[in-house]
Amino acid sequence: MRAKTWKKWLGVTLVAMMVVLAGCQSIGGVNIVKVVENSLNVKSSESSQNLSVELIPRKDGALTAEDKKIIDLVNGFKLDIDHAVAQDPSHMSLAGKITYGGKAVPFKLGMEDTNVTVWIEGIKKPVVVSLANEELEGELVAEIEKSQDVFRGAVQKLGAYLVKQAPVPNTVSVSSVTYTVYGESLNLQKLHIEINGDEVIGLVKTLLTNMVKDDAGLREITTALYDAFYPIVESQMGIYADQGAEDNFFSSIAKDKEVGSLVLYKFVKNGIDEILKDFDAHAEELMKQDEVKQVLSKESGLKLDLYVDSENQVRKQNLELTVALPDIEDIPVQKVIVRAAAESWNINKAVKLDAIDTTNGVEKLDGYALSGKGFLANFDKSSAAFGILKNDLGLGKTDFSVFEEDSYGSDDYYPGWWTLDGVGMVPLSVIADGFEAEVKWDAATKQIVVYDALNDITVELKIGSTTAYVNGEAKTMSQPVLVDDYDASNVPLRFIVEALGGQLKWNPDYYEFYVTSK
């Protein structure tokens, strides 16, 4: 229970960044609105980036072995992207290295439309993963692509609007510096911003208050959002109409831009008014909770340095985000510190993607295969990447349950374990799927061949026989392979699990077997 609790808090703090924009249109001569607009309108660029996370353990608490393992795992990780290229929103490439436990593993990643190609040092062939969603209708995808420029413009307006309304944090400064980015010496304006956790609630209240006061600006933003999203919504409604669905009240209102954008504006404004109505009372109640009080304390904070050139483009940035975690027994970490840095060049200029060598072919995988043995089997077992993925991250481990067979008729058959003369039996496919092993029928020898590519284990079985061969060695089973009424080949449960390198445990509470492997 303890591990689950603190890992949940860790996940929340890593994902929930305290994003607060520095307010006012200009600070120390830096046009913040223009900087934000430009940042949200970068169509192509080259850059380098790095990211690391540090967990600070509590001084007064003893760490369990699992706690220490997770902390060491996170603290030993660093991501360095030496060269990132964005040609357009659907064509990008990354080249860099992942460092873990003192081992640096180079990698390359390329994206072209809906295909992502991944190369990692130690992989036998680059892996291609399709991100295409077959559930998305072609017309909808086309509409999304067509609306990209409108959507980008709406995001620009939204970003600029929020900057205008947001308050200035207590610590903000601007200074002139000279810095070299990709071999070019630049005169830059360094904008330094610090936000402490105890400022966040006040900053959010001021932002929302300013948004309500600027009624014309809020109306303009909601209209821009309507222009960006309605064509996509309309396309989807058209698909449903083709399928026989009738127009509803919402769709009839949304078709009228003036009425639709007004409805959206009212929805946003009423929502903000509702939040502000009892904001102070809710904030006071929230801060009475010790866990929240610790997270939103001076111990938490954001430090951000933006280096801006004469064209109001961000050429370099450093970020340090510190989140103080609640001081409770279940959490052995007192702080999480995220550090990131980036440099950019050739902004909105012609750029060339870094190509991945595919002359020796590629392995095509779907998204599901990335999480198990199917992905790991593509690596040289002596490579650093294989060791990290399998031994440190646990990729490829087997962990599943085998339930009792349940049959209510041929249409409601649920394969599982059953007994034959006191021996637990199971459909072979249940275990093979759990181990992500391949099952083939050898017509020449009339044998069933089960192959686990990751662990290089081959099990040969013959229907009606109690003799099996595990990597060529003959083994005797307590029952022969038999075919049931559903044309499924059944084998002794314990034998096939152990033959594939697994362990079998009985769970009497749920009347199931638990299968694991290292």
Side-chain angles (χ1 to χ4, degrees):
M1 178 66 182
R2 179 186 178 194
K4 288 183 179 179
T5 303
W6 86 265
K7 281 188 280 187
K8 178 188 73 173
W9 271 97
L10 173 61
V12 170
T13 54
L14 292 180
V15 174
M17 295 286 191
M18 294 186 302
V19 180
V20 182
L21 296 170
C24 297
Q25 297 190 40
S26 181
I27 297 177
V30 178
N31 189 331
I32 305 300
V33 173
K34 195 63 179 176
V35 170
V36 171
E37 287 180 338
N38 288 345
S39 297
L40 295 173
N41 193 36
V42 173
K43 298 177 181 177
S44 63
S45 68
E46 296 181 69
S47 63
S48 61
Q49 306 162 29
N50 62 67
L51 172 71
S52 64
V53 180
E54 181 181 5
L55 304 183
I56 309 296
R58 296 201 180 282
K59 298 178 181 179
D60 55 352
L63 297 178
T64 66
E66 184 180 5
D67 292 340
K68 189 175 186 308
K69 181 179 179 181
I70 295 174
I71 291 173
D72 290 343
L73 172 67
V74 175
N75 288 350
F77 171 83
K78 185 182 179 184
L79 173 64
D80 289 291
I81 299 176
D82 301 319
H83 192 208
V85 184
Q87 203 170 63
D88 57 54
S90 57
H91 293 81
M92 306 176 188
S93 67
L94 300 176
K97 58 183 176 292
I98 297 172
T99 302
Y100 171 78
K103 299 177 182 178
V105 180
F107 74 92
K108 291 183 179 180
L109 184 148
M111 185 180 82
E112 293 189 17
D113 299 320
T114 58
N115 288 328
V116 176
T117 304
V118 180
W119 172 86
I120 303 173
E121 187 177 67
I123 203 166
K124 298 171 185 176
K125 294 180 181 179
V127 171
V128 177
V129 182
S130 175
L131 302 180
N133 187 344
E134 295 180 359
E135 295 180 0
L136 283 177
E137 300 286 347
E139 293 180 15
L140 178 58
V141 174
E143 191 59 53
I144 292 174
E145 293 176 349
K146 190 170 65 175
S147 303
Q148 281 185 358
D149 289 339
V150 178
F151 180 77
R152 188 182 296 111
V155 172
Q156 276 185 270
K157 290 182 179 179
L158 179 61
Y161 172 76
L162 292 175
V163 169
K164 291 177 184 178
Q165 309 307 326
V168 180
N170 293 332
T171 303
V172 178
S173 64
V174 175
S175 59
S176 297
V177 298
T178 300
Y179 195 84
T180 300
V181 175
Y182 197 63
E184 181 183 4
S185 181
L186 301 171
N187 295 320
L188 305 171
Q189 294 295 306
K190 176 185 175 182
L191 174 63
H192 176 75
I193 301 171
E194 291 187 25
I195 301 172
N196 290 329
D198 58 357
E199 296 179 58
V200 172
I201 289 179
L203 291 171
V204 171
K205 180 182 179 181
T206 304
L207 170 64
L208 295 176
T209 302
N210 291 344
M211 289 174 66
V212 171
K213 289 181 179 178
D214 185 8
D215 191 74
L218 184 60
R219 180 64 189 271
E220 181 182 354
I221 287 302
T222 51
T223 301
L225 293 174
Y226 172 91
D227 290 338
F229 286 103
Y230 178 70
I232 299 173
V233 176
E234 183 182 37
S235 174
Q236 190 68 2
M237 289 190 298
I239 293 171
Y240 290 139
D242 291 341
Q243 295 173 350
E246 297 181 359
D247 284 352
N248 55 28
F249 179 69
F250 168 77
S251 63
S252 62
I253 290 177
K255 287 179 180 178
D256 188 312
K257 176 178 178 177
E258 184 175 351
V259 176
S261 60
L262 178 60
V263 170
L264 180 59
Y265 157 76
K266 288 291 187 181
F267 175 79
V268 173
K269 187 176 186 305
N270 291 341
I272 297 175
D273 286 338
E274 189 66 26
I275 293 173
L276 288 174
K277 184 172 64 176
D278 299 313
F279 188 93
D280 291 337
H282 287 310
E284 183 179 355
E285 192 66 28
L286 187 67
M287 293 303 291
K288 287 180 181 179
Q289 301 177 32
D290 291 337
E291 296 180 356
V292 176
K293 186 185 296 185
Q294 182 66 22
V295 174
L296 296 180
S297 69
K298 289 184 178 181
E299 297 298 314
S300 296
L302 173 70
K303 296 180 181 179
L304 179 64
D305 291 325
L306 298 177
Y307 296 77
V308 182
D309 65 14
S310 58
E311 297 180 354
N312 290 313
Q313 296 283 8
V314 177
R315 303 299 298 273
K316 174 180 169 62
Q317 50 190 303
N318 295 322
L319 176 147
E320 182 178 288
L321 173 67
T322 301
V323 180
L325 298 183
D327 187 11
I328 57 179
E329 183 181 357
D330 287 341
I331 304 178
V333 175
Q334 61 176 327
K335 286 183 181 179
V336 179
I337 303 175
V338 180
R339 298 182 179 93
E343 296 181 0
S344 300
W345 61 94
N346 286 339
I347 299 175
N348 292 330
K349 296 180 180 179
V351 295
K352 183 178 180 181
L353 300 178
D354 289 326
I356 296 176
D357 185 2
T358 58
T359 53
N360 293 324
V362 298
E363 290 289 342
K364 293 186 178 181
L365 300 178
D366 57 31
Y368 297 105
L370 289 176
S371 61
K373 292 182 178 179
F375 181 62
L376 201 54
N378 288 286
F379 285 86
D380 182 338
K381 293 181 181 179
S382 64
S383 67
F386 181 90
I388 292 172
L389 291 171
K390 188 175 189 298
N391 302 327
D392 297 319
L393 301 182
L395 196 66
K397 288 184 178 180
T398 300
D399 186 347
F400 66 96
S401 295
V402 181
F403 301 95
E404 185 180 18
E405 176 189 85
D406 198 355
S407 178
Y408 299 102
S410 59
D411 293 335
D412 298 310
Y413 169 61
Y414 297 94
W417 69 266
W418 56 284
T419 57
L420 176 62
D421 297 333
V423 176
M425 302 289 288
V426 69
L428 179 61
S429 60
V430 172
I431 304 303
D433 289 346
F435 277 90
E436 298 183 48
E438 184 181 20
V439 179
K440 287 185 177 180
W441 170 252
D442 189 332
T445 61
K446 298 188 183 302
Q447 289 184 325
I448 302 169
V449 180
V450 184
Y451 181 58
D452 181 344
L454 178 61
N455 298 304
D456 197 23
I457 298 175
T458 301
V459 181
E460 297 169 281
L461 306 162
K462 182 170 286 190
I463 294 173
S465 174
T466 58
T467 301
Y469 293 88
V470 181
N471 284 347
E473 182 180 351
K475 302 282 186 179
T476 301
M477 298 182 292
S478 52
Q479 289 289 347
V481 180
L482 59 86
V483 178
D484 61 23
D485 294 338
Y486 300 95
D487 292 328
S489 299
N490 286 248
V491 294
L493 172 59
R494 183 171 295 277
F495 172 82
I496 191 63
V497 168
E498 293 179 350
L500 290 171
Q503 296 82 42
L504 189 68
K505 291 183 179 180
W506 170 247
N507 186 336
D509 295 332
Y510 294 97
Y511 217 60
E512 67 183 20
F513 287 96
Y514 191 49
V515 181
T516 59
S517 73
K518 297 180 180 179

